[in-house]
Amino acid sequence: MIKILHTGDVHLDSAFSGLDSRHAEIRRNELRAAFTSMMTYARTAGVDLILIAGDLFDGGYITRETVALLLREFERFEKPVFIAPGNHDPASSDSVWTKITFPENVHIFRESSLSSADVPDLPVTVYGFGFTANDLVTVPVENMHVADPSRVNLLVCHCDMPGVKSSTKDCPMTAEHLDAFGADYAALGHIHNPPAPGHDGRWCYCGCLEARAFDETGPKGACIVEIDKTGTTSSVTIKKVRFSKRRYEKGELALTGMATQADVREAVAAYVAQNRYGEDTLLSLRLTGVVAQSLVIDTEALENSPCGLFLLRVEDATLPDIDCAALEHDPTITGELYRILKPSIESDDIRTREVAVRAFRYALSALAGEKTF
Ligand SMILES: [Mn+2]
């Protein structure tokens, strides 16, 4: 049995540009820590080799600290590590792949054409190719076939299977290409929220190691792949292991009938507890529902005291409980205001609607003599 750790889309030294500088710095360190945890796992769980399917680095800017960490971890692993550069870290002539001297157990697929390397002491051949520029419009396995079907044949690369992202400039590989190529397992990278493994686990996206934005929800990690091969018949099992320190989550909370900021805070805290979110969670929460006319939700106060979460983002999409029919004919300034804002309040554009609702609500509070800011 061959045991493989399949990772990719690590994006080391990512800027985490969606976060403020304090949280971004913490996240950069956590990303390095997740990588270290994964490498510790590889050393201690009997992994035979590591496949890194592209975008190990987020870009051309790499810190000294990250380079030192990588070299140390790869050296300590001792067993083979195969890296296929991706669209974020292509093996161009002036790239990190030419500047750093990697330990001998690290094999980098620097060419955009297919090549292979045998794993010492194991009946395993690893095929791969790398991006050499930001785009790779060809499919290097096209019209190729594994040389010896009796060996465990692996493919590692960064590519875009159709139906996943559907871009033609990120190596548009198809299931037919992979079938014809005949690898026992294709370790793919590029898709951060991976679909289910394809063709009985013959190909799989590992997903990113640490999420970096709210469109990459849930725990993240790497794949542990076990392959048994008898003759030319192999069986593959894939296990996802979490290594991410944090998880991004998105949610919606209906605050129907609520009248005070205290009610809202309590509801948010209950939502967090119910979902078992905690210090490891970055939550983007959309507040909905029809609430008391007088309630102006202080989203900043909620975000500044985030119910035990690492980070809380609140979007207020609630609607004030207003009697529209009455306001249509209301002769006071409230009615006039409503009639002016009505087209925007009823707009199909969510953003326009939210701004209009907020404006109306602030105005109602101001008219009622309440302090809103
Ligand atoms: Mn990519």
Side-chain angles (χ1 to χ4, degrees):
M1 193 258 291
I2 308 293
K3 191 168 184 175
I4 301 158
L5 188 145
H6 164 200
T7 182
D9 294 298
V10 182
H11 290 270
L12 288 167
D13 289 338
S14 166
F16 286 94
S17 52
L19 299 175
D20 61 80
S21 59
R22 184 180 74 87
H23 281 103
E25 183 56 29
I26 294 171
R27 295 292 292 136
R28 272 194 293 281
N29 285 327
E30 287 176 348
L31 177 53
R32 283 192 280 258
F35 182 79
T36 308
S37 302
M38 180 182 74
M39 293 302 290
T40 304
Y41 180 96
R43 280 201 312 280
T44 54
V47 167
D48 296 306
L49 66 141
I50 295 176
L51 302 176
I52 302 179
D55 292 359
L56 176 60
F57 304 112
D58 190 51
Y61 168 74
I62 297 146
T63 60
R64 207 180 283 265
E65 195 180 344
T66 295
V67 173
L69 170 84
L70 273 186
L71 297 181
R72 187 175 68 235
E73 290 298 334
F74 286 158
E75 234 163 53
R76 286 176 80 188
F77 180 61
E78 292 177 347
K79 295 175 194 170
V81 177
F82 295 87
I83 304 175
N87 61 321
H88 275 261
D89 57 357
S92 55
S93 55
D94 60 345
S95 69
V96 61
W97 305 112
T98 60
K99 288 178 187 153
I100 301 173
T101 307
F102 285 91
E104 285 203 340
N105 59 323
V106 178
H107 181 100
I108 298 155
F109 289 103
R110 289 190 171 84
E111 306 292 326
S112 58
S113 55
L114 189 72
S115 65
S116 69
D118 288 343
V119 177
D121 308 321
L122 288 174
V124 178
T125 301
V126 181
Y127 291 82
F129 57 85
F131 278 57
T132 54
N134 294 110
D135 295 353
L136 179 60
V137 295
T138 59
V139 178
V141 295
E142 193 159 27
N143 301 321
M144 299 292 211
H145 198 270
V146 297
D148 182 354
S150 70
R151 291 177 69 80
V152 173
N153 293 296
L154 307 173
L155 173 68
V156 59
C157 65
H158 205 68
C159 66
D160 191 352
M161 301 278 283
V164 184
K165 263 192 177 174
S166 298
S167 157
T168 53
K169 62 181 183 56
D170 297 323
C171 182
M173 186 124 78
T174 63
E176 289 72 31
H177 285 131
L178 289 176
D179 276 348
F181 181 62
D184 295 286
Y185 180 74
L188 310 179
H190 189 51
I191 309 299
H192 294 194
N193 293 319
H199 286 203
D200 300 326
R202 296 294 159 183
W203 59 266
C204 180
Y205 280 101
C206 54
C208 52
L209 184 65
E210 274 281 353
R212 295 182 298 156
F214 286 107
D215 57 1
E216 298 173 357
T217 52
K220 301 293 181 186
C223 294
I224 300 297
V225 184
E226 293 181 348
I227 302 179
D228 277 306
K229 190 156 188 175
T230 314
T232 56
T233 309
S234 60
S235 69
V236 179
T237 56
I238 303 168
K239 188 175 79 173
K240 299 253 177 184
V241 179
R242 175 178 177 173
F243 293 110
S244 64
K245 305 292 171 196
R246 312 272 182 193
R247 59 195 296 191
Y248 286 69
E249 299 293 349
K250 275 196 293 203
E252 206 170 281
L253 178 60
L255 301 178
T256 307
M258 293 196 184
T260 68
Q261 176 82 3
D263 290 344
V264 176
R265 164 157 299 287
E266 207 173 290
V268 171
Y271 177 88
V272 167
Q274 198 173 41
N275 286 283
R276 297 172 185 275
Y277 295 149
E279 178 52 29
D280 78 333
T281 313
L282 294 89
L283 175 65
S284 173
L285 190 60
R286 184 177 158 89
L287 305 178
T288 61
V290 176
V291 298
Q293 222 184 80
S294 59
L295 175 61
V296 175
I297 297 172
D298 186 347
T299 54
E300 208 178 299
L302 291 170
E303 289 179 350
N304 288 338
S305 172
C307 302
L309 300 167
F310 178 68
L311 183 128
L312 176 63
R313 290 261 163 88
V314 179
E315 183 194 352
D316 178 11
T318 58
L319 292 167
D321 183 10
I322 47 176
D323 184 347
C324 300
L327 282 171
E328 286 279 7
H329 307 288
D330 183 347
T332 70
I333 190 167
T334 309
E336 182 59 22
L337 195 68
Y338 173 76
R339 288 187 290 275
I340 292 169
L341 288 170
K342 192 182 170 215
S344 300
I345 289 173
E346 293 174 352
S347 165
D348 286 336
D349 179 62
I350 294 170
R351 183 74 195 136
T352 304
R353 211 161 59 216
E354 281 174 18
V355 169
V357 167
R358 192 162 306 181
F360 187 60
R361 185 179 271 157
Y362 281 137
L364 289 176
S365 297
L367 288 169
E370 289 171 20
K371 186 173 172 291
T372 57
F373 295 100

